[in-house]
Amino acid sequence: MARVVVDVMLKPEILDPQGQAVQRALPRLGFDGISDVRQGKRFELEVDGPVDDAALGRIREMAETFLANTVIEDFSVKVES
């Protein structure tokens, strides 16, 4: 069994109000020196069988149609060891 991780982030040109809220709160909590915060989503998928090109293609299709809103979000797919 293998783990495949899909990370989803807002595209750089899309405003991130949650990230901005975290960024504004950090100095009040004593965490200085952070100039930007972007919040995203991480999906960890346990895959039965080998993670070959066909399996990764299906996972990319899943990410594009279900896990990410590709109008405003980018995603990446990677296999974890």
Side-chain angles (χ1 to χ4, degrees):
M1 188 172 301
R3 175 175 292 165
V4 177
V5 175
V6 179
D7 287 312
V8 180
M9 294 292 296
L10 286 170
K11 292 183 177 183
E13 63 271 15
I14 302 297
L15 292 178
D16 183 357
Q18 291 176 322
Q20 290 173 344
V22 170
Q23 181 184 1
R24 286 191 302 271
L26 290 174
R28 292 192 304 266
L29 297 171
F31 299 102
D32 295 318
I34 305 300
S35 59
D36 191 28
V37 175
R38 304 284 293 173
Q39 182 171 315
K41 300 178 279 190
R42 175 183 169 107
F43 297 92
E44 295 182 358
L45 309 171
E46 296 292 331
V47 179
D48 296 329
V51 180
D52 55 13
D53 288 342
L56 283 175
R58 290 288 293 157
I59 291 169
R60 283 188 186 93
E61 181 183 356
M62 177 194 322
E64 188 171 4
T65 59
F66 182 67
L67 302 178
N69 176 350
T70 57
V71 173
I72 62 170
E73 294 173 319
D74 291 323
F75 67 90
S76 65
V77 177
K78 65 182 175 187
V79 180
E80 279 196 344
S81 53

